[in-house]
Amino acid sequence: EKVTVGFYSEALCPGCDQLAETTMNKAVKELSSIMTLDFVPWGNAKLVNNRFECQHGPIECVMNTIEACVMHYNKDISVWWPYVVCTEAHGYKQTIKTAEQCAKESNIEWQQVYECHGSDLGHTLEP
């Protein structure tokens, strides 16, 4: 039986970015035979007046939803994890444009993800 490791992340969090790119990326590559990664893009979001507020501002909420949509359509970690690492490498400079670029680099269908992030489906993927 595999060990489940939880990673509660935030798209624009510098510490999360560093952890994703280094330690967690190494663990995913080297320990996937014994580890399941439970990646949660909404690590520190708070529900305020029936809306989520993200620690690093509204664009972080958008990027978190995009990550959730990527994972929804791509269940295999070998597909979605490289996308996460790519976006996290952009740190505070993450935008819809960098998300699209990382999707293309990770062979992820961007149009589907883009449509998801602003839809009812995207909102159901929120925590």
Side-chain angles (χ1 to χ4, degrees):
E1 189 171 320
K2 291 184 176 186
V3 173
T4 299
V5 175
F7 180 10
Y8 291 77
S9 184
E10 303 170 292
L12 302 182
C13 172
C16 297
D17 295 346
Q18 183 181 17
L19 182 64
E21 291 179 73
T22 58
T23 307
M24 199 59 68
N25 195 34
K26 184 176 181 182
V28 168
K29 288 179 179 178
E30 296 178 9
L31 302 174
S32 62
S33 64
I34 61 169
M35 178 187 92
T36 300
L37 180 61
D38 181 17
F39 182 76
V40 181
W42 294 83
N44 199 29
K46 306 234 182 310
L47 187 60
V48 177
N49 297 324
N50 291 328
R51 301 219 19 102
F52 281 98
E53 290 185 0
C54 293
Q55 182 179 3
H56 302 96
I59 189 65
E60 181 172 72
C61 285
V62 170
M63 300 307 292
N64 288 342
T65 302
I66 290 173
E67 285 182 347
C69 289
V70 166
M71 293 169 57
H72 174 77
Y73 288 117
N74 302 278
K75 305 293 187 198
D76 187 337
I77 191 170
S78 69
V79 176
W80 62 261
W81 181 251
Y83 169 84
V84 170
V85 173
C86 178
T87 57
E88 299 291 339
H90 290 279
Y92 275 112
K93 297 178 183 178
Q94 288 184 49
T95 63
I96 298 274
K97 191 72 177 159
T98 59
E100 180 179 12
Q101 178 184 5
C102 288
K104 288 179 181 175
E105 290 175 16
S106 303
N107 295 314
I108 290 171
E109 173 56 47
W110 172 248
Q111 191 60 38
Q112 184 181 47
V113 170
Y114 181 77
E115 289 172 4
C116 168
H117 98 277
S119 71
D120 288 342
L121 172 60
H123 294 296
T124 65
L125 299 175
E126 294 172 355

